[in-house]
Amino acid sequence: MSRSRPGPSTDPTGAPPANADDHGAPRRFWRALDRHRPPGVDTLDRSWRSPLRGPWLTAVYGSVLLVGLPLVIITGLLDYAAYGPRFGQAFPHDVGWLRLPTFDWPTRPSWLFRVTQGLHVTLGIVLIPVVLGKLWSVIPKLFNWPPARSLAQVLERLTLLLLVGGILFQIATGLLNIQYAYLFGFDFYTAHYFGGWVFIGAFVAHVVLKLPRLVTALRSRPFGAELRTPVAATHPEPPDPDDLVAARPGPATVSRRGAVGLVGGATLLLAALTVGQTLDGPLRHTALLLPRGRDNGPGPNGFPVNRTVAAAGVRPEETGSGWRLTLRGADRTVTLDRPGLLAMAQHTAALPIACVEGWSTRQTWTGVRLRDLAALAGVADPASARVSSLEKAGLFREAVLAPNQVLDPDSLLALRVNGVDLSPDHGFPARVIVPALPGVHCTKWVAEIDFRVRGDD
Ligand SMILES: Nc1nc2c(c(=O)[nH]1)N[C@H]1C(S)=C(S)[C@@H](COP(=O)(O)O)O[C@H]1N2
Ligand SMILES: [Mo]
């Protein structure tokens, strides 16, 4: 043993000497593990010397995550619900027994999805420095030898593997998605969804196991006093049962205030570079980390475009004067051209578009109410509406709307935005805009709406 002080043997689940549960062969096994130390382990053990590591610092980072991560989890699950799993249009489609109770995503408040989506992405990004700080504070434990001293510890360390692996995986896939959206296609959603559940399970186990330690550790040093302590007065914490404090701490080069400030500062910087994508106004220019946070030129159509008309493969001749909208109802099919739609009652509403990549923006849309179109097709009380675009294939080709999303008085087939015609990139000749509907379902370049009657499949 390289350690100069008794370590986890004070732990009730610990190793030798005597433990009522540990006898015979199992006991010999854990002892042998302890004796056969792989080369390098002791050197490594001695090289973790920061006097800042200890229960208090770990608990400070931990308590931020204890508040922040549940918000990321809940908003993430809400986003899944917002996609309308009931219509088979949330990814992944089949989640087996992980299926949550389905409910119709509300249309009010109209900024609901903007908030859940924005919080999920923004918090997911700004918590990264806290996650890294917390991992730094416990990293020597990764190289502890023996890796476990009992079966209970093996299990605990397994949950840690899922916890750390889970959060790093979620961060990596999430970051890649907001940078290069839909490169992953189906696979990103599947990975991020199931990765999320792995993380949730490990997170709950970890909180249950460690919450008492967190509380004790926070109480051990008053926060305010700690923030006033300079480097010169920064000393290691007393040895702790979790072995977080270094066995041979070196002198402090940063205070705990410095360590907390570094992580806090990094978090604020990330926040400053990120929030702009969720807010309108001049702050949009500060969303430097996000390719999609940028303006789309000046003018009434100058707000972010997720996929351009060219990228979608919609040709100009399809959206010209030959364009027709087809409405299908129970017993009739109605065809309208753009002048015909403009001759109908027009309604104007200020509604946000909120994209899964995190950006959102509120614009003023004008067009025909979806419920008026439903009535025109003879389905005043639809069970659903399937909206198809001019696109031939792909994830965005069509979207299904629930009854509340068709009937809301602000749900529109928009023809104009901010007082002018929609630009080709924003969906000319007509696009769907519905309060609180995820951006991905606000179909652009609409070709057909199929209103289903209640009682149909
Ligand atoms: N037909 C079609 N509709 C679409 C898309 C698309 O690629 N094709 N992108 C969707 C996505 S993901 C979003 S976020 C919004 C973005 O609308 P905007 O480009 O007008 O801002 O349009 C949605 N509607
Ligand atoms: Mo989107």
Side-chain angles (χ1 to χ4, degrees):
M1 292 278 286
S2 69
R3 298 234 156 170
S4 53
R5 59 191 160 74
S9 54
T10 52
D11 192 302
T13 59
N19 182 320
D21 300 332
D22 250 355
H23 40 69
R27 177 174 170 182
R28 279 198 298 280
F29 170 76
W30 297 115
R31 275 196 179 162
L33 205 61
D34 205 352
R35 273 197 309 274
H36 293 91
R37 305 176 68 78
V41 148
D42 295 324
T43 331
L44 204 68
D45 205 17
R46 280 191 296 271
S47 62
W48 306 110
R49 298 186 65 205
S50 172
L52 299 191
R53 286 205 182 87
W56 184 83
L57 193 63
T58 299
V60 168
Y61 295 148
S63 44
V64 176
L65 297 177
L66 182 62
V67 176
L69 288 177
L71 279 173
V72 178
I73 291 170
I74 291 167
T75 50
L77 291 174
L78 284 175
D79 286 354
Y80 183 82
Y83 272 67
R86 148 162 114 82
F87 297 113
Q89 56 185 356
F91 297 102
H93 293 306
D94 188 7
V95 298
W97 51 269
L98 283 173
R99 203 177 5 251
L100 292 173
T102 51
F103 57 94
D104 273 349
W105 186 251
T107 54
R108 300 288 151 176
S110 65
W111 40 260
L112 184 64
F113 184 73
R114 191 180 192 187
V115 168
T116 57
Q117 173 61 19
L119 267 181
H120 183 73
V121 173
T122 308
L123 271 179
I125 291 174
V126 304
L127 287 177
I128 291 174
V130 189
V131 169
L132 296 180
K134 177 131 197 289
L135 289 181
W136 174 86
S137 78
V138 297
I139 196 145
K141 303 213 27 132
L142 192 61
F143 304 96
N144 267 4
W145 196 268
R149 290 168 185 276
S150 67
L151 198 58
Q153 255 190 19
V154 172
L155 292 178
E156 192 218 312
R157 303 208 73 179
L158 258 177
T159 67
L160 289 180
L161 196 73
L162 298 179
L163 183 79
V164 175
I167 195 151
L168 294 179
F169 182 79
Q170 291 305 88
I171 288 175
T173 49
L175 282 183
L176 282 172
N177 184 56
I178 57 179
Q179 294 292 337
Y180 314 104
Y182 309 119
L183 259 193
F184 291 97
F186 181 80
D187 284 325
F188 161 74
Y189 299 104
T190 309
H192 203 66
Y193 187 84
F194 289 112
W197 277 111
V198 168
F199 175 71
I200 292 170
F203 180 73
V204 169
H206 187 67
V207 170
V208 168
L209 288 173
K210 299 291 184 174
L211 194 61
R213 289 275 159 81
L214 180 132
V215 174
T216 325
L218 284 182
R219 286 210 178 121
S220 69
R221 299 170 162 253
F223 192 73
E226 202 56 57
L227 290 193
R228 285 190 298 274
T229 307
V231 184
T234 298
H235 304 297
E237 294 181 56
D240 65 304
D242 288 320
D243 251 350
L244 291 174
V245 180
R248 291 183 183 74
T253 49
V254 200
S255 63
R256 287 191 182 80
R257 168 181 60 198
V260 172
L262 186 69
V263 165
T267 287
L268 288 180
L269 182 68
L270 281 180
L273 295 177
T274 311
V275 290
Q277 66 162 350
T278 330
L279 305 171
D280 289 313
L283 267 183
R284 186 160 301 278
H285 301 285
T286 63
L288 295 179
L289 291 182
L290 299 136
R292 281 156 200 276
R294 294 199 205 116
D295 262 340
N296 174 39
N301 274 285
F303 56 94
V305 168
N306 197 59
R307 214 147 136 263
T308 60
V309 65
V314 173
R315 287 169 288 117
E317 56 269 30
E318 295 177 281
T319 58
S321 56
W323 175 82
R324 294 291 180 276
L325 171 73
T326 306
L327 303 174
R328 286 186 204 286
D331 53 7
R332 72 182 91 142
T333 298
V334 179
T335 311
L336 288 159
D337 56 9
R338 203 166 186 275
L341 284 163
L342 282 165
M344 290 178 66
Q346 303 290 301
H347 181 72
T348 296
L351 294 174
I353 280 204
C355 180
V356 66
E357 282 102 53
W359 63 263
S360 59
T361 178
R362 197 171 82 125
Q363 307 293 334
T364 303
W365 311 87
T366 302
V368 182
R369 283 185 164 130
L370 290 181
R371 65 180 191 198
D372 292 350
L373 294 175
L376 201 61
V379 189
D381 184 23
S384 67
R386 179 176 300 270
V387 183
S388 315
S389 78
L390 288 168
E391 277 157 281
K392 303 292 173 293
L395 206 56
F396 308 97
R397 212 184 69 76
E398 56 179 31
V400 181
L401 304 177
N404 63 328
Q405 293 168 331
V406 178
L407 297 176
D408 190 287
D410 280 350
S411 295
L412 303 178
L413 183 71
L415 307 166
R416 298 160 61 80
V417 64
N418 301 319
V420 300
D421 284 348
L422 290 171
S423 72
D425 284 344
H426 283 303
F428 185 90
R431 65 116 23 106
V432 162
I433 183 88
V434 167
L437 184 70
V440 62
H441 290 157
C442 296
T443 307
K444 305 194 274 193
W445 316 295
V446 172
E448 184 178 310
I449 308 178
D450 186 356
F451 296 99
R452 300 285 168 88
V453 190
R454 287 177 202 275
D456 277 14
D457 55 76

